[in-house]
Amino acid sequence: MTTNRKPEDKYYLRPEQSLVLVVDIQEKLFPAVANPYRVLRQTNLLLHAARTFQLPVVVTEQNPAGLGPTLDTVDLKGLNMVKLDKMTFSAVTPKLLEVLRSYGKKQIIVAGIETHVCVLQTVRDLQREGYQCYLAADAVDSRTELNYRCALELMREMGAVITSAEIITFDLLQTAEIPEFKVMLRRIK
């Protein structure tokens, strides 16, 4: 990214600047959301893109003793990954900020649950810290449609880019002339 950034630059997602953050897709939270399998499918698409483009991944777990570990069907194998436990709703803790600084990435691709609690508070704090969030609306969810929609609108107002896992994937690809295109296309179909 150049130092002469334009406001529309935030709509250009680049692999060299990107990191995937998966917020609290845990055993006891997962069944409570309205569309859990959509969240799982689209999160796994983002994780496949992370693997394909060698993006770092951070996974958070809210109170894992009470809510259980990350769902075992979240495909974390073969990733450059850090897992962080938390008790606060926001995942933006001193430890997360330390991890983000160590990677030097400013574009954070966000998936997880619940949209109106941990995801919203995390995105709000990341935006405040100067990171640009790309929220995959199909890889997040809440127990109710109202809370889900309200949270998406609030995050849009905060400056987050509300998008989808497939849009993110094609934005990372940029062209069909690279080998990663066929790899990702097989996963999307």
Side-chain angles (χ1 to χ4, degrees):
M1 298 213 153
T2 67
T3 54
N4 299 326
R5 292 188 53 185
K6 299 175 186 157
E8 61 272 12
D9 286 348
K10 79 176 190 176
Y11 299 106
Y12 290 87
L13 189 59
R14 297 294 174 244
E16 64 276 5
Q17 288 296 317
S18 299
L19 176 143
V20 176
L21 175 63
V22 178
V23 179
D24 307 346
I25 302 181
Q26 294 167 255
E27 285 179 351
K28 292 186 181 171
L29 288 174
F30 181 73
V33 298
N35 300 288
Y37 294 102
R38 183 201 71 208
V39 171
L40 180 62
R41 184 177 56 254
Q42 298 310 98
T43 297
N44 281 337
L45 174 60
L46 293 173
L47 293 171
H48 188 71
R51 200 174 292 106
T52 301
F53 287 98
Q54 300 177 344
L55 307 181
V57 175
V58 177
V59 176
T60 68
E61 292 179 346
Q62 174 73 27
N63 182 18
L67 297 174
T70 298
L71 206 62
D72 61 5
T73 49
V74 175
D75 187 7
L76 300 176
K77 59 187 170 295
L79 294 168
N80 174 11
M81 182 192 71
V82 173
K83 192 178 282 188
L84 301 173
D85 295 352
K86 65 187 183 68
M87 291 300 288
T88 57
F89 296 131
S90 174
V92 181
T93 62
K95 182 63 179 166
L96 177 68
L97 291 173
E98 178 186 318
V99 168
L100 294 179
R101 280 191 292 275
S102 75
Y103 285 122
K105 310 292 185 176
K106 296 302 270 182
Q107 297 181 320
I108 312 298
I109 300 164
V110 181
I113 53 180
E114 281 191 83
T115 314
H116 68 293
V117 185
C118 296
V119 173
L120 170 70
Q121 291 186 30
T122 298
V123 167
R124 178 178 62 199
D125 290 347
L126 286 170
Q127 290 286 132
R128 186 177 196 190
E129 290 288 333
Y131 294 92
Q132 180 60 59
C133 293
Y134 297 81
L135 185 80
D138 52 354
V140 299
D141 204 10
S142 294
R143 285 168 283 138
T144 69
E145 182 74 13
L146 177 63
N147 283 329
Y148 170 78
R149 294 279 171 210
C150 286
L152 291 183
E153 189 54 37
L154 282 168
M155 289 183 276
R156 183 185 317 278
E157 289 175 16
M158 292 172 198
V161 175
I162 309 301
T163 184
S164 72
E166 192 167 323
I167 292 171
I168 288 168
T169 299
F170 281 99
D171 217 11
L172 292 169
L173 285 165
Q174 300 176 34
T175 180
E177 298 177 318
I178 59 175
E180 292 86 354
F181 172 73
K182 287 183 181 177
V183 171
M184 291 308 304
L185 191 60
R186 281 192 299 271
R187 182 63 185 236
I188 290 167
K189 289 183 176 182

